[in-house]
Amino acid sequence: MLKDFAWNTFEFTGNIDSYFFFKEIEERKNTSEQKEIDEAETVLAKGR
């Protein structure tokens, strides 16, 4: 939702700060997802 707001703000205003905010949100989401995957893999590896 916030990501969509940031993108729409950039799209309609061309404000580069909105684009950077959008990219930051996207990067944090990707980092969070990767961390969850890494933790799950660690748990599986320890169980073997």
Side-chain angles (χ1 to χ4, degrees):
M1 187 166 144
L2 185 58
K3 182 178 162 184
D4 293 333
F5 174 75
W7 177 254
N8 289 335
T9 301
F10 168 68
E11 190 173 45
F12 291 115
T13 66
N15 184 331
I16 194 72
D17 290 328
S18 297
Y19 178 74
F20 287 135
F21 184 54
F22 167 80
K23 293 302 284 182
E24 183 178 345
I25 293 168
E26 193 173 64
E27 183 62 30
R28 286 183 184 205
K29 179 179 177 265
N30 292 341
T31 301
S32 175
E33 289 174 353
Q34 187 60 48
K35 182 179 177 185
E36 289 177 12
I37 291 169
D38 291 346
E39 288 174 352
E41 289 175 347
T42 301
V43 169
L44 290 174
K46 287 182 179 180
R48 292 183 181 176

